[in-house]
Amino acid sequence: MASTDVPGESSSGSKPPPARNFQVLEAVLHASIYDDHKDQLIERLKGMTDPFSSSFEEHEMVFALKSNEGPDVQLRLRRRFNLDLWHVRYVGTPIADKCPAVCRASIDSVMYTKDMMDFVKHMGFRLIYEFVMKGWVFTRGPIKILVYKLCTTDKPGIYSKELIKPFGTSHIVEASIPVENEDTMKYSKLLKDFTDQLMPLVEFRKVEYFRPRTGQFAKSS
Amino acid sequence: MNPQEPPAIQMVPIRQSHPELLKTSIDAIQTKLLILKRGIEELLFSLDANDKVSWPAFMAKCSSLAADLSSIQTALRKSMVTNGNEDNGEFLKSQLLLPYTISPEVNPKLLELTEQRVPCWNHETAPAFLRTKLDPRVEDDYLQLEAEANQYQNAVKKRFDQVSLMNKHLESVVQAVNEQMTRLNRNADGTKMTYNNQQTETLIRTVYTGEGLNSGGRKR
């Protein structure tokens, strides 16, 4: 398993990401935008962000190791569509605090081996769900913005171009910033200030996906 | 108190900035006043002497006296220094006048100087001559006028407050109406919404918790 490059989700093409950045505490904000308006958002983002952006199409599989104490450990494996280079990511549980953004730890890594699936299976992880995401990534300094569409397939296991179907009528927009010195408040505020500039096209909110869903659609903080 | 007579005028060694200037200006005032005094004396004599005084002549004399008085007034206001810069009376204002001795005894020298009118310089005459306040009647009038002015000012202030309060009310009304209009407009173009928060929630939950996906349990 080794190096600490981050392909597929690479930051701007002008300079490589810092090598030590594989273990970060990040602040994240989410939004969504209807499919027919996503072009407006892309144009806006192209104006606001660094010059190089890239598109990606990736297949993500989420494995979980069931543990007796506490919640399952989740591991996200991602690869460029139909390619065998796997990017492994551990996304930690978000910290429940009063920050305006969701703050969680995340560790990235890349596998060069071909028998990833066997390896993971032998470790005890089981696949719980998978999907395909297709979209663009933009950066603005340390802030990373992803605009992607979630797709699934009817037939599990078979991922060919014909069977990919979009899920929902919106694109997901995700903005994240790495937090230094555990100063979550400051970086969340920075992120919020940046994302507020995209109003009223999209509204970024702290989606507390880790909380159980309440019956009625409740506004998160 | 010293047994000898107090002198009519006492020389006090105070350093003056322009002693000769001061002397000339005081002399000028004195000459003008003397002329005025003579004029008033003539007027009174003419009244005493005849039973009937010709009215136009009397009026003429009075008007000339009034002119003299006003000339003294303007001269004082500008500057009594002849050929000097007009400093609006600053030179004279800056001079200090101090009563040096006040005694209840009759002072013959003073009597002589003032033509038998001021016998002594005591605690009654000194304040009367050195008073800087206006005549009581004049002062009363002045106070009355000031009170009236203040009253008007209060009324003005009240009006001002009323008008500004009205303005504030109007502003809030206008704002409310504006808000209402924009809200209505927004509701009318409901299709302008570019995002749906519920969708956001659903999608994010799907990505991070796998809700709603029909795959899973696939083992290779």
Side-chain angles (χ1 to χ4, degrees), chain A residues 32 76 129-130 169-170 201, chain B residues 194-195 199-200 205 207 218:
Chain A
S32 73
R76 309 174 86 83
Y129 59 92
E130 57 185 345
T169 53
S170 302
L201 203 54
Chain B
T194 49
Y195 60 86
Q199 287 237 355
T200 313
R205 275 177 188 273
V207 169
R218 190 190 103 203

Side-chain angles (χ1 to χ4, degrees), chain A residues 155-189:
Chain A
K155 296 218 183 92
I158 302 170
Y159 282 85
S160 52
K161 285 272 178 221
E162 300 80 43
L163 292 174
I164 302 291
K165 275 197 1 228
F167 184 85
T169 53
S170 302
H171 275 55
I172 300 181
V173 192
E174 197 171 300
S176 63
I177 186 172
V179 170
E180 284 162 43
N181 301 331
E182 314 227 346
D183 196 353
T184 52
M185 204 44 114
K186 169 176 160 197
Y187 286 92
S188 324
K189 284 213 173 85

Side-chain angles (χ1 to χ4, degrees), chain A residues 213-219, chain B residues 198:
Chain A
R213 201 206 267 266
T214 53
Q216 163 75 355
F217 168 66
K219 277 196 185 297
Chain B
Q198 269 170 325

Side-chain angles (χ1 to χ4, degrees), chain B residues 17 49 51 87 105 111 123:
Chain B
S17 45
D51 277 335
D87 57 1
E105 299 162 351
L111 218 56
H123 57 277

Side-chain angles (χ1 to χ4, degrees), chain A residues 115-133:
Chain A
D115 34 347
M116 176 278 296
M117 297 296 265
D118 280 336
F119 183 75
V120 161
K121 194 174 99 177
H122 281 114
M123 278 198 34
F125 284 90
R126 300 281 171 260
L127 177 74
I128 42 177
Y129 59 92
E130 57 185 345
F131 50 84
V132 172
M133 11 158 82

Side-chain angles (χ1 to χ4, degrees), chain A residues 30-34 37 76 104 126-130 152 157 159 167 169-170 172 174 200-203 205 208-209 211 217, chain B residues 191-220:
Chain A
H30 299 282
S32 73
I33 184 166
Y34 285 127
H37 295 288
R76 309 174 86 83
R104 61 194 184 195
R126 300 281 171 260
L127 177 74
I128 42 177
Y129 59 92
E130 57 185 345
T152 51
Y159 282 85
F167 184 85
T169 53
S170 302
I172 300 181
E174 197 171 300
L201 203 54
V202 279
E203 191 192 338
R205 309 156 90 246
E208 289 173 342
Y209 56 84
R211 290 207 209 281
F217 168 66
Chain B
T191 50
K192 277 267 171 92
M193 287 302 283
T194 49
Y195 60 86
N196 181 346
N197 283 327
Q198 269 170 325
Q199 287 237 355
T200 313
E201 179 119 354
T202 322
L203 285 168
I204 301 302
R205 275 177 188 273
T206 310
V207 169
Y208 289 104
T209 59
E211 274 179 34
L213 286 175
N214 58 0
S215 73
R218 190 190 103 203
K219 290 195 194 83
R220 220 205 265 174

